[in-house]
Amino acid sequence: MSNSMETRLTARRRSRRSGAFLVASAVATTMAVAACSSGSGSPSSGSSGSSGSPASQAGSGSGSAAAGVDLSYVNAQLTKYGKLPTFTAPGPSFDAKKLMAGKTIYSIGVNNSDQFVQVLQNGMKEVAKQVGVNFQVFSNSGSPAQWVRGMQTAVNQKASVIDLLAGIDPSQLHPQIAQAKAAGIPVVVSDAYDVAQKPDPSVAATADVPYAQAGRLMADWTVADTKGKADVLVIGSSDVVSSNFMVKAIQNEFSTRCSTCKVKTIDVTVANWASQTQSQVQAALNADPGINYILPVYDSQSQFIVPAITAAGKTGKVFIATYDGTPFVLKMMQDGNTVRMDVGENLDWVSKAVMDQDMRVAAGLKPVKDTKTPLYIFTKKNVDTAGTPPKNSTGYGTAYLAGYKKLWGLS
């Protein structure tokens, strides 16, 4: 798949989390300067590309930390999330084959042309085969009217649980959710909210993602890698429900761990990534020549940021730390030095976490509060473990495979 195609797919993935698809619009991008404090530490140009472990790579080189910088904490975080994830059971074990016998899980993804939805639903199908549960997918192209029909179809087929996958906004389906509830069918929303966000009260449960923690790790890396002399541009996409939550988490982490760091934010909606990102980043780099790190909350935007860095003559002086572990961005890390760190998520693990919650709800068990899906830091040191070229769900280890089998009584 070409970079441009994968970016469009990822962009749809991001916009779906706000319950809306890409709509061409002329939204002016605004810039708000939010310095963490009035500290006067001068920004550095970032480090030059060492290849040690995540903790040792960040903050490597000579020079003392600036005052008000908690390098001990941020390096501890980088060490923790630079280790292969271990499996933590999200809740009590249960006999999945016994409890799910004769039940149906009905999945309505935000858009079945979206590769992300396909990967998740394929993973969910594999779990269904192992457990012996009936798994149905309502295929659609992203129209809210189609989601309504999917809900009606699931109710008519007497589904045991309906899963709204990958960002369908439940507020758009309140009448249908009420109809399902009246028929005794609970609705689960998966991969839409951060673990700390309040979900729509109409749904029975959610399967959430640690977006805020990913944002904090992006900040931690930057503090360590610049030794407390970060001059940062954070790029959010406010048309995505989790974006503002992540941006605030990043700002708070800088404020807490680096009182001398400088932080600015801009907002570029997903619909305008291709048309506005490069110009907005170049303008920011020209306005503040001291910027040494750019933190896009979603990594696919990196392919528009790197050309801006190049055009501004900042290659080797301005770096990227980001989130998602998208394969083509990991390939950029393998091939160059501008993308320095990417917080990844294992989509196969996520699909199993979603099915775990769906099965618990369908079986009348108590939903889990946290699905325990992990984050894993990729750097130049370990990025080749994701494959050459990188692939989805690769490089995260296999501890979760045995973990879920045991959790569901399959081993």
Side-chain angles (χ1 to χ4, degrees):
M1 178 179 296
S2 67
N3 284 4
S4 59
M5 176 59 76
E6 190 160 1
T7 297
R8 289 195 295 273
L9 290 172
T10 304
R12 285 199 296 271
R13 168 187 175 185
R14 295 310 174 191
S15 65
R16 70 168 177 258
R17 287 179 172 167
S18 63
F21 278 84
L22 302 184
V23 178
S25 62
V27 179
T29 303
T30 59
M31 177 178 287
V33 177
C36 293
S37 76
S38 58
S40 58
S42 61
S44 72
S45 62
S47 57
S48 60
S50 60
S51 59
S53 65
S56 63
Q57 182 177 343
S60 61
S62 61
S64 59
V69 180
D70 194 347
L71 286 179
S72 176
Y73 173 85
V74 299
N75 277 314
Q77 290 295 101
L78 298 175
T79 297
K80 177 181 178 181
Y81 287 91
K83 295 178 180 177
L84 282 177
T86 57
F87 178 79
T88 301
S93 59
F94 59 98
D95 188 334
K97 285 187 175 181
K98 179 180 178 180
L99 292 178
M100 296 307 295
K103 295 189 182 298
T104 298
I105 294 175
Y106 208 95
S107 176
I108 305 173
V110 73
N111 184 341
N112 286 92
S113 67
D114 185 339
Q115 187 184 52
F116 179 79
V117 171
Q118 296 169 14
V119 171
L120 285 184
Q121 288 183 330
N122 286 340
M124 295 167 74
K125 288 176 185 177
E126 289 302 314
V127 174
K129 289 179 183 177
Q130 294 175 18
V131 172
V133 63
N134 182 25
F135 181 76
Q136 297 292 324
V137 170
F138 183 82
S139 185
N140 71 90
S141 58
S143 163
Q146 292 175 320
W147 303 338
V148 169
R149 289 199 296 275
M151 290 288 294
Q152 294 170 340
T153 301
V155 170
N156 292 338
Q157 294 188 5
K158 296 180 171 52
S160 305
V161 64
I162 301 171
D163 187 282
L164 302 179
L165 180 67
I168 294 177
D169 186 347
S171 68
Q172 298 185 52
L173 297 171
H174 278 168
Q176 291 72 38
I177 293 173
Q179 181 185 17
K181 186 175 182 179
I185 304 172
V187 175
V188 176
V189 172
S190 301
D191 196 69
Y193 300 104
D194 178 84
V195 293
Q197 284 182 286
K198 284 188 176 182
D200 190 291
S202 68
V203 301
T206 60
D208 302 326
V209 178
Y211 294 115
Q213 181 58 33
R216 287 189 287 269
L217 289 172
M218 290 159 58
D220 292 339
W221 170 273
T222 308
V223 171
D225 201 35
T226 62
K227 294 177 278 294
K229 297 180 180 180
D231 190 337
V232 177
L233 178 67
V234 179
I235 308 179
S237 297
S238 59
D239 53 341
V240 184
V241 71
S242 59
S243 174
N244 288 343
F245 206 79
M246 285 187 72
V247 170
K248 289 179 181 178
I250 292 169
Q251 292 171 328
N252 289 340
E253 190 75 350
F254 277 114
S255 178
T256 303
R257 306 300 171 187
C258 184
S259 62
T260 56
C261 290
K262 299 178 181 180
V263 182
K264 305 170 188 66
T265 65
I266 62 173
D267 186 81
V268 183
T269 58
V270 175
N272 293 313
W273 276 8
S275 62
Q276 294 187 8
T277 299
Q278 181 170 345
S279 61
Q280 291 295 327
V281 170
Q282 282 185 243
L285 291 174
N286 290 333
D288 182 358
I291 289 175
N292 49 33
Y293 252 98
I294 299 176
L295 275 59
V297 295
Y298 306 123
D299 66 0
S300 290
Q301 198 174 12
S302 297
Q303 77 168 297
F304 306 113
I305 297 170
V306 171
I309 293 172
T310 302
K314 296 290 186 176
T315 301
K317 297 179 180 179
V318 177
F319 304 99
I320 294 172
T322 186
Y323 159 71
D324 223 13
T326 302
F328 86 82
V329 181
L330 296 182
K331 183 67 164 57
M332 293 170 69
M333 182 186 292
Q334 289 177 335
D335 293 343
N337 187 44
T338 300
V339 179
R340 299 294 310 280
M341 177 267 212
D342 198 340
V343 183
E345 61 178 350
N346 181 341
L347 299 189
D348 188 50
W349 197 320
V350 172
S351 70
K352 288 174 171 55
V354 171
M355 281 294 282
D356 180 77
Q357 187 76 303
D358 287 346
M359 290 191 292
R360 290 177 189 275
V361 172
L365 303 176
K366 184 178 180 180
V368 300
K369 293 182 179 180
D370 184 350
T371 60
K372 304 294 185 182
T373 51
L375 300 171
Y376 180 57
I377 293 173
F378 284 105
T379 68
K380 197 80 167 182
K381 173 68 176 179
N382 63 354
V383 68
D384 286 350
T385 65
T388 50
K391 303 177 182 66
N392 278 319
S393 306
T394 303
Y396 300 86
T398 59
Y400 69 103
L401 298 174
Y404 278 113
K405 283 186 177 181
K406 182 177 180 181
L407 183 66
W408 299 331
L410 300 178
S411 60

